[in-house]
Amino acid sequence: MVARNRGAAYVGVIWFVFALILLFGALAGVAIQASQAGEVEEGKKRAEEEARKAEEKRDELDRQLVTLAGVVGFQEPDSAVLYPRVEAAKEALENLRSAFPTITAEVKTLRDSLPRILEAYRARGEKIANLETDARRFQSEVKAAQDGLASTTRQKDEEIQRLRKSLDDANAKTANQVAELDQRVQGLRQQNRELDQQAREARTASEKKEIELRRDIAAKQARIYEQGKKLEPIAKEPDRPDGRIVSVSETLPMAFVDIGAKHRLQRGVRFEVRDGARPARVKAWAEVAEVERDQAQVRVYDVADRFDPVVKGDLITNPLYDPNSEKFAVLLGRFAGRLNKPQVAMLLSDVGVKVQEKVDRTTDFVVLGAPEEAELTGEGKPLNETEEYRKAEEYGCQIVPLRRVEAFFKF
């Protein structure tokens, strides 16, 4: 009986302890939930505070953007809030670059461009002030000149009045003599006009005759030089100058060279202008504009260095032109595009170059077709492996690409 009571008491203690454990667990769960709820509430408050600060910061940025738009402009036209439009600002910066050359590519912002704009306007203001000063000075000079002219005019009028009175007195005494003198003057004026007309006609006829004679002389000189023949092969001198610059215009891109019609020169022929002291350096190009017997007028263009212009004594050279004898050339390869073979032959004949069919010992140079069309001949061989090309190299002929020929002719 006692053992049974002890067992019941032991079981009761166990259940009591278990109940206490459950109670403490429930209390702990409630405490944890309360703690988590507090943390959640605290996090919510922090989030709301951060959201409020972010909203205030956004509002401040909005106010700054609106203020900035009020200062620099470039607002969005259809927006409820007047924010500056970035693309409009960029476009304005590009427009400033077009209007002010000093705003170069390294200037990236409108702020950086403002000093250059101010500098440009200050320079322009100084220029305008100088112009206004010059204008005032000119006005003063004009006023002084007008005053002097008025004084001179008054003196002239007084002198005219005096002379008219004297003339009237003389006319009253010598009316008949004046009439006779007038008739004689009219007759002399008529004779003078007739003599002037005859002189003009004679001068025109003389000029025409002189032009015809010059043309005849130039044609005869050209025929004389064209009839000359080479007696034996001579060493090729492709860089030998054909003439020299004898004078240069100070205001126009024109010059005179010491070769002319008697040297078989024609209008349109072009030369390289080389430095007289350093012939290897090309300074410019010259094109023949007018040809006289002993000299020619040329137009200077494509000057390599404007600080080193063409001067008297510079050399002119054209490897296709020879003022003293006829040259011979062979056209090798295919020609198409702007110039075909007949056109190239015609251009060469204008400067005394005769086109041959084959290369021989009289050939001076070989003209190659354009690179893009002369890689292969009709035989399917590379151009530099053909028999004609090898013969040209063997005979020491000058090899001239087609683009080189085009550079020396106007067409």
Side-chain angles (χ1 to χ4, degrees):
M1 189 66 182
V2 174
R4 183 180 302 170
N5 290 335
R6 288 178 179 175
Y10 180 74
V11 171
V13 170
I14 291 173
W15 280 106
F16 177 74
V17 171
F18 183 71
L20 286 176
I21 292 171
L22 291 177
L23 177 61
F24 286 133
L27 291 174
V30 171
I32 292 170
Q33 290 179 355
S35 175
Q36 291 178 346
E39 292 177 356
V40 169
E41 186 66 23
E42 182 66 24
K44 181 179 180 182
K45 289 181 180 180
R46 287 196 302 271
E48 290 176 350
E49 181 65 20
E50 291 176 357
R52 183 184 63 78
K53 291 180 179 179
E55 186 70 20
E56 291 177 354
K57 187 175 181 180
R58 189 197 67 180
D59 294 340
E60 179 62 24
L61 289 175
D62 287 342
R63 286 192 296 272
Q64 291 179 2
L65 285 174
V66 172
T67 303
L68 178 62
V71 174
V72 302
F74 309 114
Q75 296 94 338
E76 292 283 355
D78 299 330
S79 175
V81 180
L82 298 178
Y83 292 154
R85 188 158 60 96
V86 176
E87 294 300 326
K90 290 181 178 179
E91 182 179 355
L93 182 58
E94 292 300 324
N95 292 334
L96 287 176
R97 285 197 180 98
S98 301
F100 297 92
T102 56
I103 302 177
T104 54
E106 63 268 14
V107 178
K108 303 298 183 182
T109 65
L110 291 171
R111 184 190 66 182
D112 295 338
S113 65
L114 288 177
R116 304 197 181 196
I117 294 174
L118 292 175
E119 182 181 355
Y121 271 107
R122 280 196 297 269
R124 186 172 297 177
E126 293 175 358
K127 184 177 181 180
I128 291 173
N130 294 333
L131 291 175
E132 290 176 348
T133 302
D134 292 340
R136 287 192 293 270
R137 179 170 56 81
F138 291 150
Q139 288 174 353
S140 300
E141 293 176 356
V142 170
K143 181 66 168 58
Q146 289 176 343
D147 294 341
L149 179 61
S151 177
T152 304
T153 302
R154 286 193 299 270
Q155 295 176 1
K156 181 199 68 174
D157 292 340
E158 293 174 356
E159 182 68 17
I160 288 174
Q161 291 296 330
R162 187 182 64 79
L163 292 174
R164 282 179 177 174
K165 186 176 183 306
S166 299
L167 182 61
D168 290 340
D169 294 341
N171 285 338
K173 295 179 181 179
T174 60
N176 293 332
Q177 293 179 1
V178 170
E180 292 176 0
L181 290 174
D182 287 340
Q183 292 178 356
R184 291 178 61 185
V185 167
Q186 292 297 328
L188 292 173
R189 287 179 177 173
Q190 180 62 31
Q191 292 178 8
N192 188 33
R193 286 193 292 268
E194 292 175 355
L195 291 174
D196 286 342
Q197 180 65 26
Q198 293 175 3
R200 285 194 295 269
E201 292 176 355
R203 186 165 51 251
T204 301
S206 175
E207 290 175 352
K208 290 182 178 179
K209 187 65 176 177
E210 183 180 358
I211 292 173
E212 292 176 356
L213 289 175
R214 286 185 177 182
R215 289 177 178 173
D216 291 342
I217 291 172
K220 290 178 180 178
Q221 291 289 342
R223 285 197 295 271
I224 290 173
Y225 281 105
E226 288 173 357
Q227 290 172 359
K229 297 182 179 180
K230 295 179 181 178
L231 300 178
E232 59 181 2
I234 61 174
K236 307 298 188 295
E237 297 181 55
D239 294 328
R240 177 174 54 85
D242 299 306
R244 290 180 179 271
I245 301 291
V246 295
S247 65
V248 180
S249 172
E250 295 181 357
T251 57
L252 299 174
M254 305 296 292
F256 283 87
V257 297
D258 60 356
I259 56 176
K262 73 176 185 180
H263 304 100
R264 305 158 54 91
L265 187 63
Q266 298 185 18
R267 293 179 60 183
V269 178
R270 297 178 177 180
F271 296 88
E272 288 178 335
V273 181
R274 297 176 177 267
D275 195 317
R278 293 175 293 174
R281 191 169 68 88
V282 178
K283 297 176 65 175
W285 284 78
E287 178 181 332
V288 178
E290 298 292 338
V291 180
E292 299 178 7
R293 185 177 184 277
D294 297 311
Q295 65 178 4
Q297 184 180 8
V298 298
R299 180 179 63 87
V300 179
Y301 63 100
D302 287 349
V303 179
D305 185 358
R306 64 188 183 90
F307 297 105
D308 185 17
V310 175
V311 296
K312 179 180 177 180
D314 285 343
L315 308 176
I316 60 171
T317 180
N318 181 333
L320 309 176
Y321 169 78
D322 191 333
N324 301 315
S325 63
E326 186 179 53
K327 286 190 175 184
F328 295 92
V330 172
L331 307 183
L332 186 60
R334 291 182 289 181
F335 294 77
R338 292 195 303 174
L339 292 176
N340 54 31
K341 282 189 175 181
Q343 291 171 331
V344 175
M346 181 177 64
L347 289 175
L348 294 176
S349 67
D350 289 340
V351 292
V353 178
K354 183 177 180 180
V355 176
Q356 300 172 310
E357 290 295 328
K358 299 292 184 180
V359 176
D360 58 26
R361 294 187 181 277
T362 64
T363 304
D364 296 284
F365 52 85
V366 173
V367 178
L368 301 181
E372 63 271 18
E373 296 182 2
E375 292 294 333
L376 297 178
T377 65
E379 301 173 354
K381 295 181 180 179
L383 196 58
N384 58 359
E385 295 182 6
T386 60
E387 181 65 21
E388 296 298 314
Y389 193 95
R390 286 196 294 269
K391 288 168 62 179
E393 290 182 330
E394 178 183 352
Y395 295 150
C397 300
Q398 185 181 357
I399 306 299
V400 182
L402 178 60
R403 63 179 179 276
R404 182 78 168 165
V405 175
E406 293 175 348
F408 285 98
F409 290 97
K410 178 181 179 181
F411 55 90

